[in-house]
Amino acid sequence: MTRIYLSAPHMGGLEEEFVSQAFRSNWLSSVGPNIDGFEQEFEAVVGIRAVALSSGTAALHLALRLVGVSTGEEVFCPTLTFVASANPVRYLGGEPVFLDSERDSWNLDPNVLEDALRRSRKRPKAVVVVHLFGQTANLDPIISLCDRYGVPLVEDAAEALGATYKGRPAGTFGAVSVFSFNGNKIITTTGGGILATRNTAWLDKARFWSQQARDPGVAYEHSEMGFNYRMSNVLAGIGRGQLKMLDERVRQRRTIAFRYRDAFAHVDGMDFMPQAPWGLHTNWLSCFLVDEVRIGCSRDHIIQSLAARDIEARPIWKPMHKQRLYATARVYGGSVAEDLFERGICLPSSSFLDEETQGRVIDAVLSAVARGRPRARAAGGES
Ligand SMILES: *Cc1c(COP(=O)(O)O)cnc(C)c1O
């Protein structure tokens, strides 16, 4: 039996042909037809213009620079996220300020945002909203707060390609937004990202910065500092093939998530990640909350039991305000994110996971729960 990973790449079959075209035509650099094609096809799918970059992190770096983040500036960011949502603020000399989550979506809590905007002495240079695990944040109140306070919204849609909010795709709401094609995301270029915006001047600027900010003309002249952040034409070929599979991948991820939900429906203390009513949750990762007392064992006991059977499961993201890296950062609230982190588990969610293989995961969870953990069982029994 082979190891079951959390979220592995899933090729559709067309990728190799696009990659071969790059080899045959010798477009083996950061220019070429696959990059142009990938950007155009992305626009056709998501409805927003895009620049293909080397990673989602690079895209966030440029997005934050576009909205003017610089030394000493603050950026509001949810504390419950992957570290790449926050680090680019520091790349620019700014400081992230961390905000708590809401239980309905696990994403940025609009009430905490309002409180932070009202109480903060300094207006933040941007608000980063993250759509975790394939589900959008509650965008309407967030957008109206950003409008009221005149703060640009940056959407980190790295985990939410294919998700919607009130029928509109994630990543089309912010002043600028970013996507990731890292190997574990819903589609992949092995590594890559996209910056998307309706602001065409910004789009050109991001493309310019991503190619070392070389001024027009034949000589190597530079008036601004740039980066080497462009996507390779080979990898863009993988992206073109992957993009054609997106709808199917969303269906598959959702099927997997709801199969887990049904399998654990009778397990008291194993609660499915909320599916907020405002949009389509892709369930990029299938997530649950484990209630140690009700279920009779710890979340980590389940993760360890799965690991013993060569099945990869993980806690959800550890909040940024609990990271040593961000020990000095300001934070508004944080107890909801901490509670979600202590109880949250991500189960194997690869889109190729068939029913039989997923059955192995389900059996492993059920038997871990049945065996329980003496300590937790005693605590539950005595209370
Ligand atoms: C994956 C991810 C990123 C970073 O994307 P990379 O392409 O890996 O650099 C940023 N934010 C979130 C929320 C992510 O999950």
Side-chain angles (χ1 to χ4, degrees):
M1 279 195 287
T2 51
R3 179 165 171 77
I4 302 176
Y5 290 98
L6 191 71
S7 179
H10 186 184
M11 293 297 116
L14 295 166
E15 296 82 1
E16 276 187 273
E17 177 50 29
F18 288 110
V19 170
S20 292
Q21 279 171 22
F23 275 76
R24 285 200 299 272
S25 59
N26 204 37
W27 285 108
L28 301 169
S29 71
S30 60
V31 288
N34 281 338
I35 296 194
D36 300 341
F38 185 46
E39 288 177 351
Q40 282 156 19
E41 287 148 19
F42 181 91
E43 184 183 348
V45 169
V46 183
I48 190 160
R49 291 184 63 196
V51 184
L53 300 169
S54 54
S55 71
T57 311
L60 257 169
H61 187 187
L62 299 186
L64 292 167
R65 202 187 195 201
L66 282 172
V67 300
V69 176
S70 62
T71 308
E73 302 285 359
E74 287 185 345
V75 172
F76 287 0
C77 176
T79 186
L80 189 68
T81 188
F82 179 53
V83 73
S85 303
N87 281 346
V89 177
R90 284 246 177 114
Y91 297 173
L92 292 159
E95 265 306 311
V97 175
F98 296 114
L99 276 53
D100 209 354
S101 305
E102 57 167 14
R103 291 191 183 274
D104 293 350
S105 69
W106 299 6
N107 291 316
L108 178 63
D109 184 336
N111 294 316
V112 175
L113 176 62
E114 179 164 24
D115 182 53
L117 286 166
R118 191 162 358 98
R119 281 165 51 199
S120 192
R121 238 177 281 133
K122 199 164 132 185
R123 191 192 296 170
K125 205 70 188 175
V127 170
V128 173
V129 67
V130 186
H131 308 307
L132 286 179
F133 305 119
Q135 173 159 263
T136 52
N138 190 5
L139 284 162
D140 278 348
I142 292 170
I143 290 165
S144 74
L145 283 164
C146 286
D147 287 348
R148 195 187 327 151
Y149 283 85
V151 182
L153 182 69
V154 174
E155 262 187 283
D156 179 348
E159 301 180 6
L161 180 60
T164 63
Y165 180 80
K166 299 190 176 172
R168 236 174 86 189
T172 61
F173 294 85
V176 52
S177 59
V178 308
F179 296 85
S180 167
F181 307 104
N182 189 43
N184 65 352
K185 298 288 161 47
I186 194 158
I187 62 169
T188 183
T189 60
T190 71
I194 264 183
L195 179 148
T197 177
R198 291 208 169 71
N199 184 326
T200 49
W202 281 6
L203 206 67
D204 294 342
K205 197 79 184 180
R207 192 174 282 116
F208 173 69
W209 284 341
S210 75
Q211 295 165 313
Q212 306 284 19
R214 182 177 159 192
D215 294 334
V218 288
Y220 286 87
E221 292 187 283
H222 305 268
S223 325
E224 280 184 75
M225 189 175 71
F227 305 91
N228 183 8
Y229 276 174
R230 198 72 165 128
M231 182 181 278
S232 142
N233 188 63
V234 176
L235 302 188
I238 301 177
R240 293 182 79 180
Q242 287 274 284
L243 208 46
K244 295 189 194 301
M245 306 306 299
L246 179 61
D247 288 348
E248 193 177 327
R249 297 294 175 257
V250 171
R251 272 197 300 279
Q252 289 164 325
R253 298 260 180 179
R254 284 176 55 82
T255 300
I256 289 162
F258 286 100
R259 221 185 261 145
Y260 281 127
R261 182 201 60 179
D262 294 346
F264 302 141
H266 69 283
V267 180
D268 184 33
M270 187 88 181
D271 300 317
F272 192 41
M273 180 180 179
Q275 310 278 307
W278 52 67
L280 183 83
H281 183 347
T282 67
N283 292 274
W284 163 60
L285 293 184
S286 293
C287 302
F288 286 81
L289 288 182
V290 177
D291 185 307
E292 190 164 332
V293 173
R294 275 158 56 217
I295 208 168
C297 70
S298 70
R299 184 268 318 265
D300 292 341
H301 165 72
I302 296 175
I303 292 178
Q304 284 152 17
S305 304
L306 267 59
R309 296 185 185 202
D310 226 5
I311 299 169
E312 185 185 26
R314 291 197 196 160
I316 67 162
W317 303 123
K318 179 172 179 171
M320 290 304 110
H321 75 279
K322 303 298 281 183
Q323 305 280 356
R324 214 154 20 129
L325 174 64
Y326 288 115
T328 59
R330 274 201 307 130
V331 52
Y332 286 89
S335 58
V336 172
E338 281 172 46
D339 175 58
L340 295 173
F341 165 62
E342 275 156 27
R343 301 194 288 124
I345 186 171
C346 308
L347 296 174
S349 311
S350 302
S351 43
F352 56 78
L353 197 66
D354 58 47
E355 206 164 343
E356 192 188 324
T357 315
Q358 190 177 358
R360 259 176 70 196
V361 182
I362 291 166
D363 288 348
V365 171
L366 294 177
S367 79
V369 169
R371 275 181 285 117
R373 224 186 177 180
R375 188 187 60 78
R377 199 184 291 138
E382 280 159 20
S383 62

